[in-house]
Amino acid sequence: MAEAAIHDDGRDVVETHHAAVAHGHHGPPTSFIRKYIFSIDHKVIGIQYLLLALFSVFIGMIMSVLMRMNLTWPGTKWPILATLFPEGAPGGVMTPEFYLSLVTMHGTMMVFYVLTTAPQGGFGNYFLPIQIGAEDMAFPNLNMLSFWVTFVALAVLVAAIFVSGSTVIGPTGGWTGYPTLSAIGDKLNVPGMGMGMNLWIISIAIFCIASLLGALNFIVTLLNLRARGMTLMRMPLTCWAWFTTAVLALLAFPVLLAAGVLLLLDRTAGTSFFVPGGLSNGETVLPHNGGSPILWQHLFWFFGHPEVYIAILPGMGATSHILSTFARKPVFGYRAMVFAMFAIGLLGFFVWGHHMFISGMSPYTGMAFSILTLSIGVPSAIKTFNWLGTLWGSQIRFTTPMLFAIGFVSLFVAGGITGLVLGQSTLDLSMHDTYFVLGHFHLVMGVAAIFGMFAGTYFWFPKMFGRMMNETLGKIHFWPTFIGVYAIFIPMHIMGIVGMPRRYAAFTEYEFLRSLDPLVMFVTIAAIVTALVQFLFLYNFFWSMFKGEKASANPWEATTLEWVVPSPPPHDNFAGNVPTVYRGAYEFSVPGAPEDYVLQTTPDATSENVTPAAHGGVEVSGNGGNGHKH
Amino acid sequence: MGRALGVLIWLITLASVLLFTNGSWWFPPSISEHGPAYDRQFLITIIVVGLAFTAAQIGLGYAVWRYSARRTGERAVYSHGNNKLEALWTVITAIIFIGLGIAGQRVWAQLHFRPAPAGSAQVQVVAQQFQWNFHYPGADGKFGRTDPAKINDSSLNFIGLDEADAASTDDSVVGSLVTQVNRPVELTLRARDVTHSFWVPELRFKQDAVPGLDIKVHFTPQQVGRYEIACAELCGQLHYKMRSFLLVLPEPEYRELTAMSQAQFQKRVTELFTKYPLARR
Amino acid sequence: MHAGEHLATTDEWGGGALPYHVGHKKLGMWLFIISDAMTFSALLIGYSYVRASSDQWPTPFPFYPSIIFSTVMTLCLLASSFTMVMAVGASARKNYKATRRWIGLTILGGLTFLVLHLIEWKHLIDEGLRPFSLAHEWAVRWPNSPPLMGATFFAITGLHMFHVLTGVLYLAYIALRVRRVRHEDVEISGLYWHFVDLVWMFVFPLIYLMSVDMTGGH
Ligand code: HEA
Ligand code: HEA
Ligand code: CUA
Ligand SMILES: [Cu+2]
């Protein structure tokens, strides 16, 4: 019957589908280059993305420590910096422009090259096809292209630090690159606004293209390649998260791309999209005229706000998945979780103005954005409640991934809740561009989303590399990190309340910041300790890759498809034997079942649907949707 | 493990709450008319979100404390959720959050929807890398014409004041903002190179100065004294040094000052700085 | 379907099927079109934003040559969309010769568009329009107008031209391999082509018709 429906569209569709299933059999490559470098296997590409993120996150982290050192001990000589950056830190003393270039690079690295790569391109690439029962992504070649384009973008960004000429340091415009500073900074002799700024824009533009292609691939894969029986409402929440993220990326990145091209034109072709007339460098009037700096802010944040959800949604997915697995309990309110994710994604496109309350945008628009912003807290709260609901009455196994998933919930609430303060246009009058904002987004993005990545890494590592990560080291990593990040970022809120502005190279100039000196010192020490602890993770990661205990196919006793296949999975994931799915993703502690988990592929013993009577009225093949029946 | 984590979550919550409530660090005292209303809204909000934060963390801590797996092979409760609960907490949070959002519009509306009250003092502000220029109309109450082509830093004409314009002869352009206590002041914010942001923590007020726009804002300072003006939008390498002062003066001193010529004005402001030291905190 | 296996769900969304009855490539093209439409929207909205916030904006396009030219260009694209529909129809009937002929005509439409557009660019450049400044004459006629007309004009029509050019190359590739590619591939190239035409249907009124010189020119 389904076939009839397909047929009226002509032979091709059916053929395509078979071809699609068949193209998984592109035979394992043998040469080193095809296998590990220009691979079209989604699993290899996933790991490549992870390694790219791992590189970026450590660079970004080291930058953040340098920033903290400069803020806490301004004017101190750090001999090593004198050798590494003779221009940025002459004599080892960091210049203010060097500080700003660190801030810019730190933000850019972290937002784009860490949080937009690992959670989606890394884990999503590796596990989305397996979790839905596909043998690869829909477009394996495009997938490879996405990764390598991302790689080029990163290379361009790194080059931006090192270009010399009029600039001896990286771009200094902040990760938001606001014009007119970013557009005419070089004409105003602001250091770091020459070639470095151009490369920054080019890097972002290339990155946009890569993300777009990746997003397209994810959506097609999820829609077209689900194995038989994998209905939408049986998908793991991770898949929903990756899917929603891909939709956001597909719609948001093109806008940043367009904005980036216009900014580049302003800088290089003399256009004036973002530069109004009548500006002066103190001697002569600049030749630009007619543009608007606010236009950039609209375009940037139309992308930027969805972007922060692109950063967090995969973490939410992983958290739901891991919480349920180690709580040995089905996800509480599966459907509500899915709808909440969609609501966040949808509303996320209508709140960008909350970054612009103070920008000179119409105050009436500001009011509308303010109220919409507060409503986006509702689906986020729903998710939080459901996570707590999942833990309620559970049987928690405290593995390292579970610790990080619980940490995610804690940090997400801590960081998200201050969004309700910033979202009020009135309160933003004082809080905007202070450390309160930094506290907010570091908790929610800088660490909650990162905790999602940690949880994912500890959880999926055995599947990816066939070996367990060391649990003891993992736990030693967790405790100080969890305490450390709170110690770094909660005090930042207080600094913001006192009024400490962000992107200040030093706090030496203002009397009203004096009282904060002890807090500044405290935060820096916490940051250094926390950063050091991360090397433990790095060590564990690479040590376990070669020396870890061998992992079985399903070491966590989980239910979804990735645990049906060997660790690591064979080249085409299922060795040509694509499974059929019989139930929802989180069937834990099913009464009457032999184990406390039921794999999605386990057929029911007697018939298709276990008779409700057999389990006291509970429908076993139900998928976690509240009362959902088919 | 579960207990340890539960206790840790509670301890972190306690520490966070203490940091916010112990009073060592908080807003500087407010000096503007809308300040108390701002502070009230902030306090209400921080209490509401603080309670939500505490409740959520206590709940989370309790769950990990209470539901550690036991060795007996006991199973977790098999439940896929509860629609009634789901609806309940959706409605409650929606009411609280959106209620907060609506309440949060009052001060905003007062400052931004209403024009400046009649009789407000007028000051034009021109921000540049890396200083603030405050342009006063002088006795005639009229601002002299400005022209970007006349801007010349080496001859100290930072805002391009046109000397040829009769209205400009009694104007003063000074590096500090001088206001009269209890009298509303309307600022016209401009920027001549990049975006800056006018920010005085004691005023509970911040507004970007954007190239190409004339942004009019108003507020009423209510406390005589001297306060720091900071730049709150990244504007280049010396962004962190773009400091100026807000002087709130009693009426007589204000009158005397604003009637002066530019040179006297400048000198007198410096004298007043010693009379009104910054509050030490 | 595999005999003997009873699936829990047999509907199209139940996995193992194509829910939209569309293969990967076609679905991929649809998604690409959506995202590309976002890029163009951003540009057009940016253009409208700066135009709306300017005191004045030049309306220099005389009836001849600009409007005549751009109208003919529009007709070229419309006609090429029609021939593309015919090509897809022929391909459905497996009439490869006709397919190739119709695609050929489509390419011709596209190439004519490109040539006319380049002539139009040259004309404007000769008049003195630059990305960073207006033609001198225009600057005199519209003294309060920002120099952004050239920037928006070249950026938007340039990006569109790039799309047309890509489309022409893409169609040529399909036409050459028409016997080897599948019918769906022809349809997909058609989708892309129609999208490029559709974008022009926004660019034409916003860039050209809104800048017609109502005074009858100089
Ligand atoms: C992952 C990233 C991420 C996420 C998820 C969020 C989430 C939110 N953000 Fe944030 N935000 C950023 C990243 C993020 N943000 C970044 C990077 C910036 C700065 C950019 C820059 O300028 O450089 C920023 C800045 C920013 C601003 C601008 C501040 C300024 O510059 O002046 C605002 C203002 O409205 C805001 C609001 C919000 C809101 C309302 C949410 C909401 O989605 C939050 C919703 C969550 C909750 C509301 C918690 C839910 C839980 C409960 C309510 C518990 C209840 C339970 C019990 C009581 C048991 N954010
Ligand atoms: C993901 C985002 C992210 C992360 C993780 C961080 C991490 C940190 N950030 Fe950053 N930060 C930003 C995003 C982030 N930041 C952004 C967007 C800005 C704004 C830039 C701008 O203004 O333009 C900013 C700005 C910023 C400033 C403000 C500068 C200023 O305005 O003057 C400061 C100051 O202290 C700071 C500090 C820190 C510290 C101490 C850390 C950390 O060192 C804390 C310790 C680190 C970790 C706990 C993470 C370790 C993670 C791993 C090891 C990952 C493992 C990898 C895999 C699992 C694959 N950050
Ligand atoms: Cu001026 Cu920052
Ligand atoms: Cu936002």
Side-chain angles (χ1 to χ4, degrees):
Chain A
M1 191 200 71
E3 267 153 312
I6 291 176
H7 260 295
D8 64 27
D9 214 48
R11 73 192 151 95
D12 305 288
V13 177
V14 174
E15 214 180 73
T16 315
H17 182 233
H18 289 312
V21 174
H23 85 176
H25 300 295
H26 42 53
T30 41
S31 78
F32 178 81
I33 294 203
R34 292 295 292 176
K35 202 165 170 187
Y36 295 113
I37 314 247
F38 295 109
S39 169
I40 57 170
D41 183 340
H42 70 101
K43 298 188 288 299
V44 178
I45 299 174
I47 292 174
Q48 288 174 326
Y49 267 113
L50 273 186
L51 294 178
L52 182 142
L54 203 57
F55 168 79
S56 309
V57 82
F58 274 88
I59 301 289
M61 189 176 79
I62 291 168
M63 286 176 162
S64 76
V65 171
L66 288 179
M67 280 147 59
R68 291 306 315 172
M69 280 164 32
N70 184 54
L71 290 176
T72 317
W73 301 287
T76 306
K77 287 202 169 93
W78 312 95
I80 180 167
L81 291 181
T83 20
L84 284 177
F85 304 99
E87 281 109 333
V93 179
M94 291 184 235
T95 57
E97 52 269 29
F98 182 71
Y99 175 81
L100 287 182
S101 109
L102 287 175
V103 172
T104 307
M105 283 301 192
H106 167 76
T108 311
M109 283 274 181
M110 290 294 195
V111 175
F112 290 99
Y113 294 92
V114 177
L115 284 186
T116 317
T117 56
Q120 181 85 354
F123 296 121
N125 233 319
Y126 200 112
F127 289 103
L128 178 111
I130 309 187
Q131 285 189 338
I132 62 172
E135 299 182 332
D136 203 325
M137 290 291 241
F139 307 107
N141 286 305
L142 192 67
N143 202 12
M144 175 181 80
L145 191 71
S146 306
F147 172 76
W148 284 105
V149 174
T150 309
F151 182 83
V152 170
L154 178 61
V156 172
L157 188 73
V158 173
I161 313 179
F162 295 106
V163 286
S164 48
S166 63
T167 55
V168 285
I169 47 170
T172 52
W175 84 279
T176 50
Y178 278 13
T180 53
L181 181 62
S182 59
I184 58 167
D186 47 348
K187 300 192 177 104
L188 300 166
N189 294 321
V190 176
M193 282 295 166
M195 202 54 198
M197 192 68 210
N198 286 342
L199 290 181
W200 181 84
I201 302 172
I202 293 170
S203 166
I204 299 300
I206 301 176
F207 187 85
C208 289
I209 295 172
S211 301
L212 258 165
L213 299 178
L216 190 156
N217 210 343
F218 272 75
I219 299 175
V220 175
T221 306
L222 183 128
L223 289 176
N224 273 1
L225 285 181
R226 279 167 293 120
R228 294 181 335 124
M230 180 59 85
T231 64
L232 293 182
M233 286 299 161
R234 283 177 177 173
M235 291 195 308
L237 284 171
T238 41
C239 295
W240 275 112
W242 290 319
F243 177 65
T244 318
T245 304
V247 173
L248 295 187
L250 189 80
L251 298 176
F253 275 107
V255 176
L256 182 65
L257 177 62
V261 170
L262 297 186
L263 185 57
L264 199 61
L265 286 174
D266 273 6
R267 294 179 51 81
T268 54
T271 62
S272 309
F273 291 102
F274 304 123
V275 190
L279 301 192
S280 168
N281 61 7
E283 267 167 38
T284 46
V285 178
L286 301 178
H288 294 271
N289 188 10
S292 161
I294 307 269
L295 173 60
W296 167 269
Q297 298 187 20
H298 280 297
L299 294 175
F300 184 87
W301 290 117
F302 181 85
F303 148 80
H305 190 82
E307 164 67 18
V308 306
Y309 293 119
I310 290 173
I312 196 86
L313 282 170
M316 292 177 160
T319 298
S320 306
H321 195 79
I322 293 167
L323 281 184
S324 170
T325 303
F326 295 110
R328 316 309 292 167
K329 191 164 169 286
V331 165
F332 192 90
Y334 175 97
R335 278 183 174 241
M337 286 300 228
V338 173
F339 291 136
M341 223 151 8
F342 263 65
I344 292 175
L346 184 71
L347 280 172
F349 276 105
F350 299 97
V351 299
W352 78 87
H354 64 215
H355 298 273
M356 299 169 59
F357 290 137
I358 309 301
S359 70
M361 178 179 70
S362 151
Y364 297 95
T365 323
M367 179 171 81
F369 276 125
S370 177
I371 298 197
L372 280 166
T373 298
L374 278 257
S375 32
I376 210 169
V378 177
S380 305
I382 294 177
K383 293 198 75 81
T384 309
F385 285 119
N386 281 315
W387 286 321
L388 293 181
T390 305
L391 292 179
W392 225 258
S394 64
Q395 291 284 324
I396 303 176
R397 298 181 184 171
F398 287 98
T399 58
T400 311
M402 184 61 169
L403 292 178
F404 277 99
I406 293 169
F408 176 99
V409 177
S410 172
L411 289 161
F412 176 74
V413 171
I417 210 102
T418 48
L420 303 179
V421 180
L422 293 168
Q424 296 178 38
S425 44
T426 294
L427 300 185
D428 206 43
L429 282 171
S430 203
M431 294 304 142
H432 176 66
D433 269 353
T434 63
Y435 270 67
F436 195 90
V437 179
L438 284 166
H440 157 69
F441 75 69
H442 274 101
L443 277 182
V444 75
M445 175 170 86
V447 277
I450 293 269
F451 265 46
M453 278 164 62
F454 279 136
T457 309
Y458 284 107
F459 183 65
W460 280 310
F461 190 92
K463 185 53 61 181
M464 293 192 287
F465 299 104
R467 290 173 187 275
M468 308 296 289
M469 279 181 90
N470 185 305
E471 272 287 307
T472 317
L473 276 182
K475 282 175 181 142
I476 300 178
H477 173 217
F478 171 77
W479 297 100
T481 304
F482 189 57
I483 302 171
V485 294
Y486 266 113
I488 302 173
F489 297 119
I490 289 282
M492 285 195 182
H493 295 87
I494 293 288
M495 300 180 189
I497 291 177
V498 173
M500 180 178 278
R502 62 191 281 206
R503 294 167 174 172
Y504 269 29
F507 302 123
T508 47
E509 305 299 313
Y510 287 87
E511 206 54 48
F512 77 96
L513 297 176
R514 282 284 68 75
S515 67
L516 289 171
D517 287 348
L519 273 187
V520 170
M521 171 83 79
F522 175 79
V523 165
T524 302
I525 291 169
I528 292 174
V529 172
T530 313
L532 284 177
V533 174
Q534 305 315 310
F535 287 92
L536 212 60
F537 169 76
L538 198 65
Y539 173 76
N540 194 353
F541 190 89
F542 288 106
W543 183 86
S544 304
M545 217 186 251
F546 303 104
K547 296 274 162 67
E549 187 193 325
K550 280 249 191 297
S552 66
N554 190 0
W556 308 122
E557 304 188 313
T559 54
T560 46
L561 295 189
E562 76 266 36
W563 306 109
V564 182
V565 295
S567 311
H571 173 68
D572 62 356
N573 297 347
F574 301 98
N577 191 8
V578 176
T580 301
V581 172
Y582 292 92
R583 66 193 70 247
Y586 303 107
E587 291 303 300
F588 291 101
S589 300
V590 181
E595 311 276 351
D596 77 342
Y597 64 102
V598 187
L599 284 167
Q600 284 191 282
T601 51
T602 311
D604 293 304
T606 44
S607 69
E608 179 50 35
N609 285 307
V610 174
T611 44
H615 296 298
V618 183
E619 191 195 6
V620 176
S621 62
N623 57 31
N626 316 324
H628 170 70
K629 305 219 167 39
H630 23 249
Chain B
M1 188 77 65
R3 302 216 160 167
L5 185 57
V7 170
L8 178 61
I9 291 175
W10 291 336
L11 283 178
I12 288 176
T13 310
L14 185 68
S16 310
V17 170
L18 281 179
L19 189 65
F20 272 75
T21 49
N22 80 351
S24 308
W25 292 283
W26 202 245
F27 287 103
S30 113
I31 60 157
S32 60
E33 192 192 343
H34 67 272
Y38 178 100
D39 288 355
R40 201 172 323 118
Q41 180 64 20
F42 189 87
L43 198 65
I44 293 171
T45 307
I46 213 78
I47 288 174
V48 172
V49 302
L51 285 176
F53 168 75
T54 314
Q57 304 289 0
I58 289 181
L60 183 66
Y62 175 76
V64 295
W65 168 295
R66 168 80 178 68
Y67 298 113
S68 301
R70 296 194 203 105
R71 298 198 185 280
T72 55
E74 215 177 292
R75 288 200 180 171
V77 177
Y78 183 69
S79 150
H80 287 110
N82 181 328
N83 281 338
K84 279 216 192 84
L85 260 180
E86 213 74 62
L88 184 72
W89 60 48
T90 306
V91 171
I92 293 181
T93 44
I95 292 174
I96 297 179
F97 290 0
I98 296 173
L100 266 183
I102 292 171
Q105 297 308 313
R106 261 205 26 248
V107 177
W108 182 256
Q110 176 194 340
L111 283 173
H112 280 298
F113 294 176
R114 291 199 214 132
S120 301
Q122 298 285 328
V123 183
Q124 299 201 341
V125 186
V126 179
Q128 77 178 75
Q129 287 173 334
F130 296 91
Q131 72 182 38
W132 296 96
N133 303 295
F134 297 94
H135 179 186
Y136 303 85
D140 65 355
K142 284 209 196 90
F143 288 101
R145 195 149 37 84
T146 56
D147 176 0
K150 297 213 156 50
I151 292 179
N152 192 326
D153 285 358
S154 35
S155 60
L156 304 185
N157 191 351
F158 298 114
I159 66 168
L161 192 63
D162 186 353
E163 314 263 296
D165 183 13
S168 75
T169 44
D170 63 345
D171 288 11
S172 305
V173 180
V174 181
S176 309
L177 176 59
V178 180
T179 59
Q180 176 187 334
V181 66
N182 289 328
R183 175 173 172 201
V185 53
E186 180 170 45
L187 305 182
T188 307
L189 287 156
R190 301 205 178 107
R192 57 164 240 203
D193 40 32
V194 303
T195 309
H196 305 264
S197 193
F198 174 86
W199 161 228
V200 180
E202 286 86 350
L203 283 177
R204 310 286 188 270
F205 187 78
K206 183 182 288 133
Q207 176 62 52
D208 282 2
V210 184
L213 294 183
D214 288 2
I215 299 175
K216 284 189 189 296
V217 293
H218 59 91
F219 51 82
T220 312
Q222 292 184 319
Q223 192 76 54
V224 173
R226 175 154 71 103
Y227 311 95
E228 286 173 308
I229 301 174
C231 177
E233 187 63 71
L234 176 61
C235 52
Q237 71 278 25
L238 299 186
H239 165 57
Y240 76 109
K241 269 187 170 173
M242 190 167 155
R243 180 169 81 147
S244 171
F245 295 102
L246 163 69
L247 262 180
V248 183
L249 297 178
E251 186 177 354
E253 269 177 350
Y254 176 81
R255 278 199 185 292
E256 177 203 11
L257 191 66
T258 45
M260 289 175 173
S261 73
Q262 161 123 11
Q264 290 170 300
F265 192 133
Q266 193 96 53
K267 192 156 155 281
R268 182 81 182 109
V269 165
T270 329
E271 286 164 21
L272 287 169
F273 279 181
T274 23
K275 178 162 177 200
Y276 298 107
L278 287 171
R280 280 218 56 92
R281 281 195 302 275
Chain C
M1 303 254 148
H2 304 236
E5 248 179 75
H6 180 69
L7 276 180
T9 41
T10 47
D11 69 301
E12 294 123 28
W13 286 94
L18 302 172
Y20 291 116
H21 300 200
V22 188
H24 309 336
K25 284 198 200 156
K26 202 192 255 180
L27 188 55
M29 181 53 83
W30 274 114
L31 294 171
F32 173 77
I33 285 174
I34 291 175
S35 83
D36 214 25
M38 292 298 291
T39 310
F40 273 107
S41 311
L43 289 176
L44 288 171
I45 288 172
Y47 157 69
S48 312
Y49 186 103
V50 288
R51 181 164 178 160
S53 57
S54 301
D55 300 337
Q56 211 179 29
W57 194 266
T59 50
F61 291 134
F63 193 63
Y64 181 83
S66 293
I67 297 302
I68 296 280
F69 257 68
S70 53
T71 311
V72 173
M73 278 151 58
T74 309
L75 291 177
C76 276
L77 282 194
L78 277 176
S80 74
S81 259
F82 172 75
T83 54
M84 194 65 223
V85 172
M86 299 306 286
V88 173
S91 158
R93 293 189 303 275
K94 295 203 180 49
N95 186 340
Y96 298 124
K97 236 173 152 180
T99 312
R100 198 170 273 172
R101 200 172 56 235
W102 284 117
I103 295 188
L105 284 173
T106 311
I107 293 178
L108 192 67
L111 283 178
T112 320
F113 174 89
L114 282 177
V115 170
L116 288 177
H117 211 345
L118 284 174
I119 296 176
E120 169 71 5
W121 269 44
K122 178 165 185 319
H123 162 78
L124 290 171
I125 292 171
D126 286 346
E127 282 213 3
L129 187 63
R130 296 286 181 278
F132 45 86
S133 67
L134 292 177
H136 178 68
E137 224 177 294
W138 304 359
V140 174
R141 258 183 92 190
W142 294 278
N144 295 326
S145 159
L148 272 168
M149 170 141 194
T152 52
F153 178 85
F154 290 124
I156 294 173
T157 60
L159 186 68
H160 180 258
M161 237 197 283
F162 174 71
H163 277 75
V164 176
L165 182 67
T166 326
V168 165
L169 296 176
Y170 179 17
L171 286 178
Y173 173 80
I174 295 285
L176 284 179
R177 298 178 42 106
V178 72
R179 277 168 203 286
R180 257 168 293 167
V181 300
R182 283 172 300 129
H183 170 62
E184 203 192 16
D185 293 323
V186 180
E187 281 184 317
I188 295 171
S189 64
L191 270 181
Y192 177 77
W193 190 256
H194 294 314
F195 167 69
V196 173
D197 289 1
L198 183 71
V199 170
W200 179 255
M201 297 310 147
F202 286 88
V203 173
F204 177 55
L206 284 172
I207 298 275
Y208 275 98
L209 295 187
M210 284 188 54
S211 297
V212 180
D213 186 355
M214 293 300 192
T215 63
H218 24 251

